[in-house]
Amino acid sequence: DGGITQSPKYLFRKEGQNVTLSCEQNLNHDAMYWYRQDPGQGLRLIYYSQIVNDFQKGDIAEGYSVSREKKESFPLTVTSAQKNPTAFYLCASSSQRQETQYFGPGTRLLVL
Amino acid sequence: AQSVTQPDIHITVSEGASLELRCNYSYGATPYLFWYVQSPGQGLQLLLKYFSGDTLVQGIKGFEAEFKRSQSSFNLRKPSVHWSDAAEYFCAVITGANNLFFGTGTRLTVIP
């Protein structure tokens, strides 16, 4: 079955630690996205990528980094510079930027 | 600035009753509009979308939505709600910059 997978389902971060969230898709989509979801705030765009080896900042990119070395993979690193990382993180993909986005199951990040 | 407003934070309906979730958008051109549903701790599932054409759009799980340009609205409806419809519902719009902008969501509770 085609789809988007995210791992892990839960992730714990210690103070000063960088952590990486995985996102893989087998839909052959060119565009991929990372969103952060906080209660009562809907989803906010962190980074997006339209093609391999290219990515752009979204609305809340500070404290996050991404890479896009392969079409099917778009990992997100939450760096120690992100002072409030506790949230639900959702990855999505679409065939092109203006097309329908499909979402993965999410990763919940908690701070120890 | 583009925006999406979901005026109802929480709605409670009885099983078998009809449902209407409101969504208003602010965008100059004809928008691409979406409704997604999210169960607790899960990713977002696409219910339906409007790009152009017939303003009444049919989606999955018996949902429909109507695009009304004069009212800048894209309300979601279902004639008879089932207990399994309890979830959070998000309206979203693709803006001119091709970003998917989300409303803050409406939580639906279904009582027996």
Side-chain angles (χ1 to χ4, degrees), chain A residues 37 88 97-98 100-101 104-105, chain B residues 36 38 43 49 90 97-99:
Chain A
Q37 185 178 26
F88 192 51
R97 279 282 283 137
Q98 67 273 31
T100 303
Q101 292 183 25
Chain B
Y36 287 88
Q38 184 181 35
K49 61 186 178 184
F90 290 93
N98 287 332
N99 288 333

Side-chain angles (χ1 to χ4, degrees), chain A residues 2-16:
Chain A
I4 302 173
T5 58
Q6 291 186 241
S7 62
K9 187 172 178 67
Y10 295 95
L11 186 58
F12 298 91
R13 194 191 91 164
K14 297 179 181 178
E15 285 294 325

Side-chain angles (χ1 to χ4, degrees), chain A:
Chain A
D1 284 338
I4 302 173
T5 58
Q6 291 186 241
S7 62
K9 187 172 178 67
Y10 295 95
L11 186 58
F12 298 91
R13 194 191 91 164
K14 297 179 181 178
E15 285 294 325
Q17 185 182 41
N18 293 353
V19 292
T20 297
L21 286 63
S22 169
C23 177
E24 303 276 334
Q25 55 97 0
N26 61 4
L27 300 168
N28 200 33
H29 285 169
D30 284 320
M32 296 186 73
Y33 314 80
W34 275 105
Y35 292 90
R36 171 178 171 140
Q37 185 178 26
D38 296 281
Q41 295 193 44
L43 279 73
R44 293 180 290 168
L45 182 64
I46 303 172
Y47 268 98
Y48 66 92
S49 167
Q50 299 185 78
I51 197 168
V52 174
N53 292 322
D54 182 65
F55 48 83
Q56 305 295 329
K57 293 182 179 180
D59 299 321
I60 54 165
E62 186 174 351
Y64 300 97
S65 65
V66 293
S67 63
R68 186 87 186 275
E69 296 177 0
K70 298 186 296 183
K71 185 175 184 177
E72 59 270 22
S73 178
F74 190 42
L76 172 74
T77 296
V78 184
T79 74
S80 57
Q82 174 50 246
K83 296 308 178 186
N84 184 24
T86 298
F88 192 51
Y89 291 87
L90 289 157
C91 179
S93 72
S94 64
S95 55
Q96 298 177 42
R97 279 282 283 137
Q98 67 273 31
E99 297 296 328
T100 303
Q101 292 183 25
Y102 296 92
F103 285 80
T107 293
R108 185 164 300 281
L109 177 60
L110 300 166
V111 177
L112 294 177

